[in-house]
């Protein structure tokens, strides 16, 4: 069962798992795709269908009438929810319905390919529960519908067989009109996948979470169950430091018939073990591989095997050697490196992994020391700074250093901030832009490449700088708007009218408003767009700042900087956007 189906988790749910800004970049040659989410489209020209795809944190800028229409947010099933009133929202059809004579549906928590999850009230014992309603498209053949219902029954059986605090509890399976409704505990929290959108985990917190997931896997393996889809979105961070492994919907129970869709590939590609990619019989080591990838992503902020499409991702799982962890050190790094061995026989067993994670989660305490610093004060008086004060000062120094990365200007480096480079985008783009040193140029498939478009992304895949040019000489149908502001309004109108690329959800609707601006003391336009992605499993809040400029020769330029709409990365993204706009240079103004 899935955590929350991609619905927003409670923003006020406290846990002791502290997030930190991303660590220094880990090199991934040719791999800017960092997040374990579906790909999203890049900025496009009015006369084109679509640009090459990128990972979900990348922007899905101004859309086109011909671009694919998304189905809207379709999260997977859920057993978690933010806190709030139990009254059913008026907009939820079906709220108030009584299931099996005891479960009163209150409000939808999320929905996905196999079901809708409701917050419900068990009126028999007077407690709130999560109820998963089966949802199978009517057009499916009867055999596939039966398979889907059997998969839900299997999901309930798999979880119900396990007695472990890190596995969600299944209370009941209510059969209504031959359809199984799964009744499970209501876990309040958010997924690890959502948490990692705001920063990375330190070694101790990552190891603590890893220990809980490992415990759930050990319990499953002892019961003859393989999970087969261990990933950050299926790890819940609940109240009171509870960690829950969810979504046993594709679990394989020993002795039962395998239920995979015809031609389907079960699981999330970048978390699937190499032996499963090769079609070999999986075992407990396959789930442990997935745990290793989760721990890598949790500490490094990047997914080591994610590529631009599923075949390339599977090839990287088989052949690519991930860079050594930079943030994970000591026993945790040893655990990750061991779990990511391609040969399952060479991976450490669960007992050894537990030993390493416990060492990482509970390092030996250093010998206590007393630190006192004497600083001269006015009028001959002394000022003593104790350990807590010094720690606070250290944090200020670190924060100042991070800020300096973005805004301190080197007087010998021209207008660029320290740690940035001016990137020439090529003759067809006919422009250059300032980009942080650790950003890498995004690569595309040959048949998707567009020589009037270029983009750079940070190693985590969360922030992207993209420039595209509409060439007036190529505009045979006179589709390029007459002014920069007209272009901004044209893009915005398509967003509001639903003619968007599939990665921008229409519910909630994007927010923004084009306005006049200046670029090098010339007329320009800009817009700040706030939108939610249409990721089927975990919608993300994104923000994009867009600058439009029309040159004298009629060419129109668009600079799009896209970054998370909340969390540690938001203000960093905004500062990067301001600097990128300031450093944009167009060859022919």
């Amino acid at each position: 069962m899935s955590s929350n189906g991609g619905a927003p988790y409670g923003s006020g749910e406290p846990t002791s798992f502290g997030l930190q800004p991303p660590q220094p970049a880990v090199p991934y040659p040719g791999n800017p795709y960092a997040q374990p989410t579906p790909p999203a489209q890049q900025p496009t020209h009015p006369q084109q269908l679509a640009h090459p795809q990128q990972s979900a944190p990348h922007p899905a800028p101004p859309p086109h009438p011909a671009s694919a229409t998304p189905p809207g947010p379709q999260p997977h099933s859920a057993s978690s929810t933010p806190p709030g009133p139990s009254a059913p929202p008026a907009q939820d059809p079906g709220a108030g319905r009584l299931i099996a004579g005891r479960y009163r549906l209150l409000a939808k928590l999320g929905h996905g390919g196999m079901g809708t999850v409701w917050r419900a009230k068990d009126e028999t014992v007077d407690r709130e529960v999560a109820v998963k309603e089966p949802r199978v498209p009517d057009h499916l053949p009867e055999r596939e519908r039966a398979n889907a219902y059997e998969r839900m029954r299997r999901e309930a059986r798999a979880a119900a067989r396990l007695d472990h605090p890190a596995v969600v509890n299944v209370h009941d399976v209510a059969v209504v009109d031959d359809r199984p409704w799964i009744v499970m505990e209501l876990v309040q929290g958010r997924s690890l996948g959502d948490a990692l959108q705001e920063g990375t985990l330190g070694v101790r917190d990552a190891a603590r979470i890893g220990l809980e997931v490992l415990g759930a896997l050990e319990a499953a393996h002892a019961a003859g169950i393989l999970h087969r889809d261990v990933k950050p979105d299926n790890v819940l961070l609940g109240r009171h430091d509870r960690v829950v492994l969810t979504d046993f919907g594709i679990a394989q129970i020993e002795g039962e018939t395998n239920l995979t869709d015809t031609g389907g590939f079960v699981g999330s590609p970048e978390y699937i073990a190499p032996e499963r990619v090769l079609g070999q019989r999986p075992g407990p080591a396959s789930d442990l591989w997935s745990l290793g990838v989760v721990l890598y992503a949790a500490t490094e902020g990047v997914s080591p095997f994610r590529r631009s499409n599923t075949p390339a991702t599977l090839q990287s799982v088989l052949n690519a050697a991930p860079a050594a962890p930079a943030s994970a050190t000591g026993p945790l790094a040893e655990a990750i490196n061991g779990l990511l061995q391609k040969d399952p026989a060479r991976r450490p067993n669960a007992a050894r992994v537990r030993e390493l994670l416990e060492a990482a989660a509970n390092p030996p305490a250093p010998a206590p020391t007393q630190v006192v610093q004497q600083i001269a004060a006015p009028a001959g008086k002394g000022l003593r700074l104790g350990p807590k004060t010094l720690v606070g000062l250290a944090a200020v120094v670190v924060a100042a250093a991070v800020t300096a990365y973005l805004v301190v200007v080197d007087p010998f480096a021209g207008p660029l901030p320290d740690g940035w480079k001016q990137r020439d985008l090529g003759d067809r783009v006919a422009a250059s832009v300032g980009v942080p040193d650790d950003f890498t140029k995004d690569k595309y498939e040959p048949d998707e490449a567009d020589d009037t478009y270029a983009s750079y992304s940070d190693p985590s895949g969360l922030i992207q700088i993209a420039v595209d040019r509409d060439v007036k000489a190529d505009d045979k149908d006179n589709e390029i708007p007459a002014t920069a502001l007209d272009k901004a309004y044209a893009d915005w109108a398509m967003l509001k009218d639903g003619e968007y690329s599939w990665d921008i959800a229409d519910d909630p609707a994007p927010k923004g408003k084009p306005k006049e601006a200046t670029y090098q003391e010339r007329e320009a336009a800009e817009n700040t767009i706030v939108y939610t992605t249409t990721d089927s499993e975990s919608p993300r809040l994104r923000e994009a700042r867009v600058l439009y400029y029309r040159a004298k020769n009629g060419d129109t330029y668009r600079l799009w900087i896209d970054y998370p709409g909340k969390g540690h990365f938001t203000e960093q993204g905004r500062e990067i956007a301001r600097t990128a706009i300031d450093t944009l240079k167009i060859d022919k103004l």
Side-chain angles (χ1 to χ4, degrees):
M1 279 143 291
S2 164
S3 54
N4 80 328
Y9 286 90
S11 59
E13 290 299 324
T15 71
S16 67
F17 301 113
L19 295 169
Q20 58 195 24
Q23 300 300 315
V26 180
Y28 291 91
N31 177 20
Y33 308 99
Q35 294 297 317
T37 47
Q41 290 176 317
Q42 299 296 340
T44 58
H45 298 306
Q47 62 269 32
Q48 294 175 328
L49 288 177
H51 261 286
Q53 292 182 335
Q54 292 280 334
S55 58
H58 291 165
H64 307 279
S67 59
T69 301
Q74 293 194 2
H76 56 199
S77 56
S79 61
S80 68
T81 175
S86 299
Q91 68 269 24
D92 286 343
R97 181 182 175 188
L98 190 65
I99 302 300
R102 65 183 289 183
Y103 305 111
R104 182 77 63 184
L105 304 184
L106 301 178
K108 287 182 181 179
L109 300 177
H111 61 277
M114 289 180 58
T116 298
V117 178
W118 295 81
R119 175 190 281 135
K121 180 71 170 294
D122 183 346
E123 297 185 343
T124 301
V125 296
D126 191 26
R127 69 176 172 188
E128 285 198 349
V129 294
V131 176
K132 186 172 183 178
E133 173 189 6
R135 187 170 64 88
V136 179
D138 295 334
H139 63 78
L140 285 182
E142 183 61 30
R143 179 179 177 181
E144 293 187 24
R145 291 171 62 84
N147 277 352
Y149 292 147
E150 179 56 31
R151 189 174 291 112
M152 291 190 69
R153 294 186 185 95
R154 173 175 297 183
E155 175 181 358
R157 289 198 300 272
R161 287 173 59 171
L162 304 179
D163 182 15
H164 194 277
V167 177
V168 69
N169 292 321
V170 173
H171 301 313
D172 190 11
V173 177
V175 179
V176 180
D177 298 329
D178 296 325
R179 300 189 305 157
W181 293 60
I182 302 176
V183 182
M184 49 196 153
E185 68 171 315
L186 192 67
V187 179
Q188 297 196 23
R190 60 176 179 168
S191 75
L192 176 61
D194 280 339
L196 294 180
Q197 287 294 304
E198 301 179 14
T200 55
L201 291 172
V203 169
R204 295 185 65 179
D205 281 344
R208 289 167 57 197
I209 291 172
L211 281 169
E212 295 300 318
V213 176
L214 177 63
L217 291 176
E218 288 177 308
H221 297 162
I225 298 170
L226 298 180
H227 187 281
R228 302 200 300 165
D229 199 19
V230 180
K231 60 183 179 181
D233 285 341
N234 286 340
V235 177
L236 264 184
L237 309 180
R239 288 179 170 178
H240 311 299
D241 300 339
R242 187 181 176 198
V243 177
V244 181
L245 179 62
T246 68
D247 206 342
F248 282 80
I250 65 170
Q252 181 175 344
I253 304 176
E254 188 174 9
E256 293 194 0
T257 303
N258 192 23
L259 284 176
T260 56
D261 294 331
T262 302
F265 196 90
V266 178
S268 304
E270 64 267 37
Y271 295 94
I272 291 175
E275 60 269 22
R276 288 192 55 211
V277 176
L278 294 172
Q280 299 171 359
R281 183 179 180 85
S286 303
D287 280 345
L288 294 181
W289 161 282
S290 303
L291 173 59
V293 183
V294 168
L295 292 172
Y296 193 111
T299 54
E300 306 306 306
V302 293
S303 174
F305 303 111
R306 179 72 176 177
R307 299 296 188 270
S308 59
N309 54 66
T310 296
T313 297
L314 297 178
Q315 282 293 329
S316 71
V317 167
L318 290 175
N319 302 314
S327 301
T329 57
L332 180 59
E334 183 179 344
I336 292 173
N337 291 332
L339 291 173
L340 296 187
Q341 292 289 328
K342 305 290 186 183
D343 181 357
R346 299 183 61 186
R347 293 173 207 151
N349 59 23
R352 176 56 179 162
V353 174
R354 175 169 293 280
E355 180 181 308
L356 291 170
L357 292 182
E358 285 178 344
N362 304 289
T369 57
Q370 180 67 32
V371 179
V372 178
Q373 177 69 42
Q374 187 80 23
I375 297 179
K381 296 182 180 180
L383 175 65
R384 287 186 177 272
L385 300 182
K388 291 184 179 179
T389 308
L390 289 176
V391 169
L393 286 176
V396 172
V397 172
V398 171
V402 172
T403 304
Y405 164 78
L406 296 172
V407 300
V408 173
V409 177
D410 182 351
F412 300 102
L416 284 176
D418 187 32
W420 285 57
K421 291 182 180 178
Q422 192 75 17
R423 301 288 188 177
D424 186 346
L425 304 179
D427 293 339
R428 284 286 287 169
V429 180
S432 67
V433 67
V435 173
D437 285 346
D438 59 349
F439 277 43
T440 57
K441 189 172 184 179
D442 298 324
K443 297 182 179 180
Y444 309 102
E445 300 296 330
D447 59 346
E448 296 176 330
D450 183 346
D451 61 0
T452 61
Y453 170 85
S455 64
Y456 284 80
S457 300
D458 77 307
S460 72
L462 292 178
I463 302 175
Q464 186 187 56
I465 300 172
V467 179
D468 69 323
R469 170 194 179 201
D470 289 342
V471 182
K472 184 61 178 176
D474 298 338
D475 185 23
K476 306 303 181 184
D477 297 324
N478 199 30
E479 294 180 342
I480 299 178
T483 68
L485 189 60
D486 289 342
K487 171 65 173 174
Y489 270 107
D491 284 349
W492 183 237
M494 284 190 285
L495 285 172
K496 291 194 298 181
D497 293 343
E499 298 171 354
Y500 44 80
S501 65
W502 66 269
D503 195 48
I504 296 182
D506 60 345
D507 184 17
K511 297 179 180 179
K513 184 177 181 181
K515 60 182 180 181
E516 294 181 348
T518 59
Y519 167 71
Q520 295 195 12
E521 300 182 352
R522 294 174 171 84
E523 290 184 0
E526 65 176 33
N527 196 359
T528 299
I529 300 168
V530 179
Y531 69 93
T532 302
T533 66
T534 59
D535 300 356
S536 61
E537 294 186 350
S538 186
R540 314 291 188 188
L541 184 67
R542 304 286 299 171
E543 184 174 297
R545 185 169 175 190
V546 194
L547 174 73
Y548 298 87
Y549 175 73
R550 181 181 170 93
K552 289 183 178 179
N553 62 3
D555 293 351
T556 299
Y557 289 82
R558 178 173 52 198
L559 170 60
W560 181 290
I561 307 97
D562 197 272
Y563 43 88
K566 64 177 181 179
H568 289 298
F569 293 94
T570 302
E571 191 54 45
Q572 180 182 4
R574 290 170 180 166
E575 188 63 45
I576 287 176
R578 288 190 286 268
T579 307
I581 289 173
D582 289 343
T583 59
L584 176 66
K585 295 181 180 179
I586 295 173
D587 293 354
K588 296 181 179 179
L589 294 176

